[in-house]
């Protein structure tokens, strides 16, 4: 099956250059100049991988990556004219799978694209039976019935506790910041001094963890956030 790649960059020359190299490798490409247009395109089309620039007008690549990761798991390779480690960390924390600084060697980008596609297809070639049911070890989350089970025993969560757990479950392995969790669940702007998320995480752990002080499901990534 031919791989479909979405290229998101406000520089037309870079978009066209990347597309030429990818298409020479037998891949299909779609090019857009900003993240807002990319998100609209993702609502209607399926892609195997996204090449996403960080510095763009309207919405930057970090924001777009976090938005994409709310629902989609295809590989994302981020591009940036900056080479600072902090930019790379931010990109990977937001959910990117790889990062490449500009100017880059197109052949290196192609090699990274192929590597990510191989990994993604290897671990995602089984059909998903029910996307509303998430299974993480002995933890089962049913988004349709809003029920949770741990080791076959049902656990009662409040609506907000369930929303947080489901958000973490749908982003399994991805570190979500406290502000990201708060804004996704409460639909409000986050204030740095607010400890609401931490309090709810503590309550969830008390209900789903055998030992809340040594959790196996919800991990704290100090200075960054939480992941499932």
């Amino acid at each position: 099956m031919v791989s479909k790649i979405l290229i998101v960059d406000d520089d037309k020359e870079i978009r066209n250059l990347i597309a030429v190299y990818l298409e020479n490798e037998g891949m299909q490409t779609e090019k857009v100049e900003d993240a807002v247009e990319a998100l609209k395109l993702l609502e209607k089309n399926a892609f195997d991988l996204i090449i996403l620039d960080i510095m763009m007008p309207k919405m930057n690549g970090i924001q777009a990556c976090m938005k994409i990761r709310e629902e989609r798991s295809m590989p994302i390779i981020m591009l940036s004219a900056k080479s600072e480690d902090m930019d790379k960390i931010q990109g990977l924390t937001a959910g990117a799978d790889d990062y490449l600084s500009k100017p880059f060697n197109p052949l290196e980008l192609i090699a990274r694209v192929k590597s990510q596609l191989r990994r993604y297809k290897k671990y995602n070639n089984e059909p998903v039976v029910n996307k509303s049911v998430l299974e993480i070890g002995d933890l089962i989350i049913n988004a349709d019935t809003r029920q949770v089970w741990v080791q076959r025993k049902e656990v009662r969560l409040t609506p907000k506790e369930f929303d947080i757990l489901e958000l973490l479950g749908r982003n399994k392995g991805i570190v979500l910041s406290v502000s990201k969790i708060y804004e996704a669940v409460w639909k409000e702007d986050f204030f740095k001094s607010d400890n609401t998320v931490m309090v709810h995480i503590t309550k969830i752990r008390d209900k789903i963890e055998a030992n809340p002080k040594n959790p196996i499901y919800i991990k704290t990534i100090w200075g960054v956030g939480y992941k499932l």
Side-chain angles (χ1 to χ4, degrees):
M1 183 179 294
V2 177
S3 297
K4 293 182 65 178
I5 314 297
L6 176 59
I7 304 166
V8 190
D9 198 304
D10 60 338
D11 189 317
K12 184 177 180 180
E13 290 186 4
I14 291 179
R15 290 199 307 271
N16 291 339
L17 175 66
I18 294 173
V20 167
Y21 275 86
L22 291 174
E23 289 167 7
N24 284 342
E25 295 292 328
M27 303 178 201
Q28 293 182 1
T29 65
E30 189 81 34
K31 299 171 289 183
V32 294
E33 63 182 5
D34 63 68
V36 175
E37 189 177 349
L39 292 174
K40 292 179 181 178
L41 196 60
L42 284 167
E43 293 296 327
K44 302 176 183 178
N45 300 275
F47 292 92
D48 298 297
L49 183 143
I50 301 174
I51 297 173
L52 182 63
D53 186 33
I54 290 183
M55 303 301 290
M56 291 186 292
K58 298 183 181 180
M59 178 186 291
N60 66 43
I62 300 293
Q63 295 169 321
C65 184
M66 295 177 71
K67 191 72 176 175
I68 293 168
R69 281 290 177 250
E70 290 179 7
E71 298 181 357
R72 297 169 178 83
S73 60
M74 79 283 281
I76 297 175
I77 297 177
M78 302 202 81
L79 305 177
S80 176
K82 297 182 179 180
S83 59
E84 287 86 351
D85 288 341
M86 196 61 213
D87 293 300
K88 181 176 182 179
I89 291 171
Q90 285 184 329
L92 296 176
T93 301
D97 298 276
D98 205 349
Y99 180 101
L100 200 58
S101 298
K102 297 178 181 178
F104 55 84
N105 184 330
L107 295 179
E108 181 182 359
L109 176 61
I110 297 303
R112 295 192 184 205
V113 167
K114 289 181 176 180
S115 175
Q116 290 296 332
L117 287 173
R118 282 195 301 270
R119 185 177 297 119
Y120 179 68
K121 291 179 178 180
K122 178 179 178 180
Y123 293 105
N124 292 273
N125 58 1
E126 295 181 4
V128 178
V129 177
N130 189 344
K131 291 185 178 181
S132 67
V133 178
L134 306 173
E135 293 188 30
I136 301 95
D138 291 325
L139 173 67
I140 299 175
I141 305 168
N142 189 317
D144 287 343
T145 62
R146 296 181 68 81
Q147 292 174 286
V148 175
W149 293 268
V150 178
Q151 295 183 342
R152 299 184 181 181
K153 294 181 180 179
E154 185 172 0
V155 177
R156 300 286 185 179
L157 299 181
T158 66
K160 294 299 186 189
E161 289 168 358
F162 181 89
D163 289 343
I164 292 172
L165 187 61
E166 183 189 6
L167 178 66
L168 291 170
R170 292 199 179 280
N171 293 274
K172 178 185 174 185
I174 299 172
V175 181
L176 298 183
S177 66
V178 172
S179 60
K180 174 65 178 177
I181 295 171
Y182 184 90
E183 291 173 358
V185 172
W186 275 269
K187 311 298 182 186
E188 299 173 356
D189 290 336
F190 173 77
F191 295 95
K192 194 171 183 179
S193 60
D194 196 320
N195 66 351
T196 301
V197 171
M198 182 183 70
V199 170
H200 279 72
I201 292 288
T202 299
K203 291 179 179 179
I204 296 170
R205 282 174 170 162
D206 287 340
K207 296 177 181 181
I208 70 170
E209 302 281 3
N211 181 2
K213 293 183 179 180
N214 186 25
I216 62 172
Y217 293 114
I218 301 179
K219 297 288 187 179
T220 300
I221 309 302
W222 296 108
V224 183
Y226 300 93
K227 74 173 181 177
L228 196 64

